Amino acid sequence: MRPPGWWRRNRWGLIALPVTVVAALAASSYRVETYWWVEKPRDLVHAERGEWVTFSASQYDRTGDVPFTVRVRLDDVRPADTPFGEDAPLELPAGVQAVAVDLALAAAPDVPLTSCDLVVRDASGTEYAYQSSSPSISQATSPCVPPDARGPELDLFEGLDPDTGPPRPGEWTVSPVVLLPDGVEVAEVLLSWGPPDGLLISAE
Amino acid sequence: MGGRRVARPPSSRLTGLPRQAAFAVLLVAALATGRAVETLMPVGDEVAAPFERTGGVGDRIEARWGDVEVTSVAGSTRIEDPYGATHVTGGVYVVVDWTYTAAGEPQVPAWVAIRDTEGRVFRTSLERNPYSSGGAAQPGIPRRVAAAIEVPADAVAGAELVITLEPNPENHRRDDVAVVDLGLTQDDADAWAASEEPLEVAEPADGPGAMS
Amino acid sequence: MAESGGRLRRLGPRAPRQHLTLAGSAAGAVALAVLVAGGFDPLEKPEADVAPLAAGEAVDLGPFTVTVDRMRVVDELPGISEGDDDTRVLALVATVTATGTTTQYGAMLSESVALEQLPGVAGDGDGPVPADDVYVMADGTRLDAVQPGLEYEVALVWEQDARADVPSDARLVLVGRTLRESSIDRSMEWLDPLPVVAGVLEVTAPAEEES
């Protein structure tokens, strides 16, 4: 009687091999989330300029997940005269232009929407971010809410009432200003209340 | 005795004691080999080394995250920081002005240091070695920044300015690092170590500036 | 050959004994594997010998060399106690150099020099109180980074409640650290703070200085 062959002797190991490979990949797969998925807005809702779009996502704070729904319409991307929420005219260095992103938003007044990021992209995908303070501009901290009626904040700190300011209206407009080099055309506007969710609006 | 030995099938030898001992020895040998390969081979440092993009004063050095151009280098024993405080050093303050232009998305070069010919690294800090990036710079808009770093006078000749994004040096592995030869000599060191003229450290500003 | 093979085969069928050997070899493999991997880090480092403090004598703390000079009471120090009647400042004048080849940050320096509990000096818990801050004597600005190859004359300061008595002396504890690989991310770090030198230093009051 011949002794069993190599394949036969190792059949359980061979069957287990693909399973262990999959398990090893699965065990290290958290890196895909940590280093890529939640690094930037990846799960995008697409919209066109001039149309209302409903965007639902979730933020989190001390109380846990805070789901929200907001309706957004991009009206215009135009040259800006003043920073967002300021009266003083813009003073720009040579070679720099300022664009105002005119947005209309609507949401229930009790929804915290202050912590949002606004990014504009050119046709090649280069990103320019809304900055509330930089050497060349100083403007409202949040690009998504009226600076004088921000509505509630996320409940992030114990002992700090998240809803103290004047209430936010049901529908409002904002005009956050983004600085770009001269000659750059804005192709898309990206709004996010925390990755991976985002709202990508074509500015064409 | 002999009869029993003959009666046993040959394959049962595989389940005997040497099998277990051999397994243990092999396991330890495999771990020891892995450990030895890891420590003996120079892979750790070599494979994880950052990519140094080198140039001199006035050169536009391109890195993954943008480009860097040193516009001026000066030195003294005194500086005046952007908040008006005067710092006095027993060595030399090296004050470097440069322009940084981000690529792709807004970015902050958070690691700035002087490296001397011995390999010593002198980093910026908040107060004593002032450097302010002004926050993330928008791509394509040049950001003019300055850093003042105190070093011993013997570190000046041949010193390089090292700039990259990640503030933790552990994270420089396999990333681009801009290395600028500041073109300094012992004469610069001697002159600066004797100078009591306070040098102003400029605040960050956008735009090409008057230099170019 | 045949003889030794036979002995091993005879051992084979004795099941309990075999399990014992199997468990033994597994335990041995684990112990060897741990040794090969570099062993466990001991949880508690042995208590180092604490040498007596001597003014003017350089002490190697690992990341820094510190030479303690004198201790005095300061009424005003820019930035921390200016025009403040509620607190006074105890300042330890010392000379500091960084031993390594990279910048050491000031927080580690202030943590390396501690004052044994004194009335009016606030600290966490019962242990010695680390310095609040470090200032460069030459210009009165905060030392937040110690560059290698430079010698700094510094004032390490503690705030004391002005209602408490001015101490005539204070006991200082200098804390040393060891450069070793962090077991968390394998980077080389200055870890394991342990007292290296301790002793009593006379405190000079401002009034005495004027006379």
Side-chain angles (χ1 to χ4, degrees), chain B residues 1 4-6 8 12-13 15-18 20-21 24 27-28 31-32 35 38 85-93 119-129 149-153 168 170, chain C residues 2-3 5-6 8-13 18 21-22 25-26 28-30 32-33 36-38 100-103 105 136 138-139 141-152 185-188:
Chain B
M1 289 293 270
R4 268 179 73 192
R5 198 167 12 181
V6 170
R8 296 181 62 76
S12 75
R13 251 182 79 188
T15 60
L17 172 77
Q20 313 302 338
L27 178 68
V28 171
L31 286 164
R35 178 83 177 168
E38 195 193 335
T86 302
H87 301 269
V88 182
T89 176
V92 170
Y93 264 114
R120 289 184 293 184
V121 173
F122 306 88
R123 290 184 61 182
T124 57
S125 62
L126 287 175
E127 294 174 47
R128 186 79 188 160
N129 303 269
I149 301 177
E150 67 172 334
V151 300
N168 181 354
E170 292 285 317
Chain C
E3 185 53 35
L8 287 168
R9 260 178 262 153
R10 272 199 301 279
L11 281 169
Q18 187 192 0
T21 353
L22 180 59
S25 64
V30 168
L32 268 167
V36 165
T101 57
T102 57
T103 307
Y105 285 94
V136 179
D139 53 25
T141 61
R142 226 164 64 84
L143 182 65
D144 58 353
V146 182
Q147 302 288 16
L150 283 173
E151 192 177 271
Y152 298 84
D185 62 2
R186 302 215 147 194
S187 59
M188 293 300 280

Side-chain angles (χ1 to χ4, degrees), chain B residues 100-197:
Chain B
Y100 162 65
T101 311
E105 60 184 344
Q107 308 199 63
V108 198
W111 164 280
V112 173
I114 282 178
R115 190 167 69 189
D116 75 356
T117 50
E118 289 175 38
R120 289 184 293 184
V121 173
F122 306 88
R123 290 184 61 182
T124 57
S125 62
L126 287 175
E127 294 174 47
R128 186 79 188 160
N129 303 269
Y131 158 65
S132 169
S133 64
Q138 304 278 12
I141 301 179
R143 170 74 50 88
R144 285 170 286 135
V145 290
I149 301 177
E150 67 172 334
V151 300
D154 63 7
V156 171
E160 298 167 322
L161 186 72
V162 184
I163 303 167
T164 191
L165 295 188
E166 285 287 336
N168 181 354
E170 292 285 317
N171 294 340
H172 294 177
R173 53 183 180 244
R174 301 185 201 102
D175 198 359
D176 273 9
V177 170
V179 178
V180 191
D181 182 348
L182 297 175
L184 303 177
T185 62
Q186 191 57 45
D187 289 346
D188 293 318
D190 295 341
W192 293 350
S195 166
E196 293 188 358
E197 183 75 23

Side-chain angles (χ1 to χ4, degrees), chain A residues 110-185:
Chain A
D110 61 341
V111 174
L113 288 174
T114 54
S115 49
C116 101
D117 291 312
L118 180 128
V119 163
V120 301
R121 291 180 180 168
D122 67 11
S124 69
T126 301
E127 295 189 344
Y128 306 87
Y130 175 86
Q131 293 179 320
S132 66
S133 83
S134 89
S136 304
I137 196 168
S138 175
Q139 53 185 342
T141 49
S142 172
C144 298
V145 292
D148 50 0
R150 293 161 52 90
E153 311 275 343
L154 285 172
D155 186 5
L156 294 174
F157 302 100
E158 196 176 348
L160 211 66
D161 188 353
D163 193 3
T164 51
R168 200 178 53 214
E171 191 179 316
W172 68 95
T173 60
V174 291
S175 299
V177 173
V178 180
L179 302 185
L180 323 166
D182 275 343
V184 171
E185 294 265 341

Side-chain angles (χ1 to χ4, degrees), chain C residues 105-194:
Chain C
Y105 285 94
M108 192 188 283
L109 177 58
S110 52
E111 282 164 20
S112 298
V113 182
L115 203 58
E116 207 65 80
Q117 294 270 320
L118 270 179
V121 177
D124 314 330
D126 303 329
V129 186
D132 294 331
D133 241 322
V134 189
Y135 292 85
V136 179
M137 298 287 280
D139 53 25
T141 61
R142 226 164 64 84
L143 182 65
D144 58 353
V146 182
Q147 302 288 16
L150 283 173
E151 192 177 271
Y152 298 84
E153 196 186 9
V154 298
L156 292 127
V157 300
W158 290 262
E159 264 187 43
Q160 190 192 23
D161 194 322
R163 285 166 298 183
D165 291 336
V166 177
S168 60
D169 53 29
R171 189 177 147 84
L172 280 170
V173 180
L174 303 195
V175 178
R177 284 178 165 76
T178 317
L179 186 67
R180 68 164 170 91
E181 201 175 64
S182 157
S183 44
I184 296 171
D185 62 2
R186 302 215 147 194
S187 59
M188 293 300 280
E189 285 173 40
W190 289 101
L191 300 165
D192 311 324
L194 269 183

Side-chain angles (χ1 to χ4, degrees), chain A residues 45-76:
Chain A
V45 171
H46 293 261
E48 296 295 322
R49 191 173 78 154
E51 65 172 31
W52 280 105
V53 57
T54 303
F55 177 69
S56 293
S58 188
Q59 308 178 78
Y60 67 89
D61 64 9
R62 294 197 311 125
T63 61
D65 282 336
V66 185
F68 66 93
T69 296
V70 59
R71 294 199 308 132
V72 182
R73 187 186 69 212
L74 172 66
D75 288 328
D76 203 4

Side-chain angles (χ1 to χ4, degrees), chain C residues 55-61 64-70 92-99 109 113 134-137 143 146 150-156 174:
Chain C
E57 212 166 85
V59 182
D60 184 0
L61 295 181
F64 309 104
T65 307
V66 175
T67 311
V68 169
D69 183 29
R70 60 190 188 273
L92 171 72
V93 180
T95 312
V96 174
T97 52
T99 54
L109 177 58
V113 182
V134 189
Y135 292 85
V136 179
M137 298 287 280
L143 182 65
V146 182
L150 283 173
E151 192 177 271
Y152 298 84
E153 196 186 9
V154 298
L156 292 127
L174 303 195

